[in-house]
Amino acid sequence: MAYQYVRTASYTPDPAQGPFPVLRHTLSLPAHWEEPLGRLRDHGRPEGRWHGPLRIPTREINQLIRTTAPDAVTVASNATFGTDSPWLYCAEPFPAPVTNLYAATWLRNLPRDPDAPDVRRLLAECFRELDTGSLTWRADTIDLLEQQPSPGGTAKPTRLVYRLLPDELAARIARQGAYEHGGRQLTFHQVAGAGGGYDAGSSSAELMSWPPIEYRPTGRSGERKPSYYAATLRVGVRTVPFSPVPRIHLSAGIRRFVTGKVWMPFRKGVSVYLLPETSLVPDAPVSRRLSVAMQQWRNGTTDWRQGGPSGMLAAVAALDGLPSADRLVKEADHWIGDGKDGIRLAVGHQAAMGRHPIGTGLMPSERRRLIEWAEQALAPEFVPAPKLQRSRYGRPPVRQLTKRPSMPKNATTEELAALLERTERTAADNARVRRAALAATLDGTDLVGFLVHQTDDQRDRIAATAESTLGLTEFRREQGPETWVWEAEELTVRLHAHPLGELGSPLGAEDRPPRAGQEHDQAIRERRGRVAEAMPV
């Protein structure tokens, strides 16, 4: 039986609820930090190499926070300064010593060689000037539905909405109890969000069932080695063209974990999901969220990213709570079951690692049940989007044009002449059908085309093809070289031609293309303006 409608896993704000305010504690970098941090960042870099503003990166400290403080939400890949641009958002503020520890670790990681004598002096001066102990969290109420419509009428949420709204909804889902699957009670934990910008991966929130589910297949050889996986839910904010409201999208899937030895991709890392019994950073609050650490292979050795003797993990004393990287890559499933040494963790499986005993994805029925369970946490602020109705145009279109007769190989001269006559009649009939269909679609308005050509021969061929395809030869009223006009009873067609000229020439001067960056962007803007002037309104 055919479905008459399809229900999407998307949800829109309920207009009866109004704004969606939440209380968050925010941490901002003071405005006077920008200049000292710029000096610290530029130390040891060759002069004249950088063009334009060089931003102060926070990518590595964001990853450290994702590993050791999963409750904090980072909202930028580069440092922002001033109270109007907070860097961290959290439901509860961190203790002052922990905040200072993260700030000091980040500052020490900015120079290329923090152990050089001149860099140590510069760091000491920077610490005295910045006074990291003055960093304070402040409470702020944020509307998670704040937006401004675009000129075309499409919802345009503020940048923070893309990070904080999914985070809030994911936290609600995690608080609503267990989900029953195959006779088991699955508890979902929120996964620490990816740090940085606002792309599709980092601007959504993820939940994962924990502990991992054990799957032990049986076959002719008896019981086999167990495999592990977990159910996942992802919450994201999306917009629909010309819709004045944003949408929440839910998606469900699974994540598979490595058992045995971990294959490390070259110059890349593998994600390690962990839930320690105590915080990895001394005196920091214990989180119920899953932390995400990264292992990487480099120069023949495996280590924790931001780890090592002088790494950021060591600086915040987090390495003491993590297992040895060398042992973990050899026995990835040692910490999956009941956990060891106060920590339970699992290494995510990648497709490049080869075949996994557990297939990808969920069955549609299980995905539907999981999404229906999760959507209960979205009420009352969000309601399901309208169902998609079956289109009345969904059936195969009815053929309107007549097929041209085929030419036999051994036809006589008289047969070829008759076939050519039939072909011309068929082409004329098809042209009338096309013309009538265009007239019905345009509803009395003219069909106007704009042709940019490189040669006059090219222009004339295209105009002749348009004329013959619509059967307009007898209705021609004006013929080039810049304008063609055909006025049939049911349809008027206008074709304007313009030489391509410099609109198709390379950007910049003939002898030198524009440099990447501001010069290239300026050349694009100038070309775009000339194209707009050449095109008729």
Side-chain angles (χ1 to χ4, degrees):
M1 180 178 178
Y3 292 101
Q4 297 304 314
Y5 63 87
V6 173
R7 182 187 166 191
T8 61
S10 59
Y11 309 84
T12 58
D14 185 352
Q17 297 297 321
F20 188 179
V22 296
L23 178 65
R24 287 291 182 271
H25 290 82
T26 64
L27 182 68
S28 303
L29 299 177
H32 70 274
W33 279 33
E34 186 169 7
E35 184 179 351
L37 290 186
R39 294 197 305 268
L40 193 62
R41 168 206 61 195
D42 295 337
H43 182 79
R45 298 183 184 272
E47 296 183 3
R49 179 179 175 183
W50 307 103
H51 301 281
L54 182 61
R55 298 176 177 87
I56 301 174
T58 59
R59 180 178 60 86
E60 292 191 356
I61 186 65
N62 288 345
Q63 175 61 45
L64 179 69
I65 291 174
R66 191 186 188 202
T67 303
T68 59
D71 287 333
V73 179
T74 59
V75 297
S77 298
N78 298 288
T80 55
F81 300 91
T83 56
D84 294 335
S85 302
W87 169 37
L88 296 179
Y89 289 78
C90 197
E92 295 295 335
F94 286 7
V98 177
T99 303
N100 298 339
L101 177 61
Y102 280 113
T105 302
W106 173 50
L107 298 183
R108 191 177 186 277
N109 190 65
L110 285 179
R112 285 190 168 186
D113 186 8
D115 294 324
D118 57 336
V119 176
R120 287 201 298 267
R121 288 193 298 269
L122 181 62
L123 280 169
E125 295 174 1
C126 190
F127 285 144
R128 287 193 298 269
E129 184 176 356
L130 298 182
D131 184 18
T132 58
S134 63
L135 287 176
T136 56
W137 296 78
R138 67 184 182 94
D140 193 6
T141 300
I142 303 167
D143 181 11
L144 296 184
L145 291 178
E146 183 180 356
Q147 66 173 35
Q148 293 292 334
S150 71
T154 302
K156 191 177 180 181
T158 60
R159 298 183 69 190
L160 289 177
V161 170
Y162 285 95
R163 296 300 302 272
L164 299 182
L165 180 55
D167 183 81
E168 169 65 18
L169 297 179
R172 283 189 179 186
I173 296 173
R175 291 195 299 264
Q176 73 172 356
Y179 171 75
E180 185 173 349
H181 166 72
R184 304 176 182 177
Q185 298 291 321
L186 302 185
T187 301
F188 278 83
H189 292 259
Q190 192 170 350
V191 180
Y198 297 82
D199 53 39
S202 63
S203 63
S204 58
E206 185 183 17
L207 300 104
M208 188 166 66
S209 63
W210 195 263
I213 305 169
E214 179 181 311
Y215 172 69
R216 194 181 294 270
T218 57
R220 294 180 180 178
S221 59
E223 192 173 284
R224 300 179 182 177
K225 185 177 180 180
S227 300
Y228 297 90
Y229 71 100
T232 61
L233 281 167
R234 189 172 288 275
V235 188
V237 176
R238 300 291 183 266
T239 58
V240 178
F242 311 113
S243 173
V245 295
R247 296 195 178 196
I248 295 296
H249 277 218
L250 292 179
S251 59
I254 66 169
R255 175 167 286 112
R256 302 171 294 175
F257 300 110
V258 178
T259 54
K261 189 175 181 179
V262 180
W263 177 83
M264 300 292 293
F266 180 66
R267 289 187 176 180
K268 294 183 179 179
V270 294
S271 298
V272 182
Y273 300 87
L274 51 109
L275 188 64
E277 295 178 358
T278 59
S279 175
L280 294 176
V281 178
D283 300 324
V286 180
S287 175
R288 291 290 298 165
R289 297 190 184 190
L290 285 164
S291 299
V292 183
M294 298 293 294
Q295 277 196 326
Q296 63 183 5
W297 183 89
R298 182 174 295 177
N299 300 328
T301 61
T302 302
D303 203 351
W304 294 101
R305 190 171 289 178
Q306 287 96 36
S310 61
M312 301 175 77
L313 282 172
V316 296
L319 281 179
D320 297 338
L322 295 173
S324 166
D326 291 335
R327 185 182 178 188
L328 181 58
V329 297
K330 297 176 182 178
E331 302 175 303
D333 51 347
H334 184 69
W335 288 266
I336 291 182
D338 298 327
K340 302 292 181 182
D341 303 323
I343 189 172
R344 172 180 276 170
L345 57 81
V347 181
H349 180 270
Q350 300 179 11
M353 296 178 178
R355 183 182 177 276
H356 195 280
I358 299 172
T360 59
L362 294 172
M363 295 297 291
S365 58
E366 188 63 49
R367 186 184 301 113
R368 175 181 58 82
R369 287 193 293 270
L370 182 55
I371 289 177
E372 288 178 348
W373 170 82
E375 72 180 15
Q376 300 175 51
L378 275 57
E381 287 82 6
F382 292 89
V383 295
K387 298 175 181 178
L388 302 180
Q389 301 289 338
R390 177 177 289 274
S391 172
R392 60 189 180 94
Y393 301 106
R395 298 177 180 176
V398 179
R399 180 186 292 273
Q400 297 186 10
L401 302 180
T402 305
K403 186 178 179 180
R404 294 189 179 189
S406 58
M407 294 290 182
K409 293 182 179 180
N410 301 322
T412 63
T413 304
E414 292 78 6
E415 290 173 340
L416 288 175
L419 285 172
L420 289 174
E421 184 179 353
R422 286 178 53 195
T423 300
E424 292 177 358
R425 289 199 303 269
T426 301
D429 292 340
N430 288 341
R432 284 192 291 270
V433 172
R434 293 191 191 96
R435 200 164 63 235
L438 274 175
T441 302
L442 295 171
D443 194 21
T445 59
D446 296 348
L447 175 63
V448 181
F450 188 79
L451 170 63
V452 180
H453 61 88
Q454 292 177 299
T455 64
D456 293 346
D457 179 68
Q458 183 186 60
R459 174 202 63 196
D460 296 339
R461 287 175 179 270
I462 294 176
T465 302
E467 183 180 78
S468 61
T469 301
L470 295 176
L472 297 172
T473 304
E474 60 181 301
F475 304 110
R476 188 190 309 141
R477 297 293 178 264
E478 188 174 347
Q479 179 177 349
E482 296 181 354
T483 304
W484 279 259
V485 178
W486 297 272
E487 294 180 353
E489 180 179 354
E490 69 275 33
L491 177 67
T492 297
V493 179
R494 302 179 186 276
L495 181 63
H496 303 278
H498 190 284
L500 180 60
E502 65 173 5
L503 299 181
S505 62
L507 292 176
E510 296 181 0
D511 56 340
R512 185 183 66 83
R515 293 181 178 179
Q518 295 183 357
E519 186 177 339
H520 185 265
D521 295 341
Q522 180 61 27
I524 291 177
R525 285 192 292 269
E526 293 176 357
R527 176 61 54 86
R528 191 163 58 232
R530 289 197 294 269
V531 171
E533 293 176 358
M535 295 292 178
V537 180

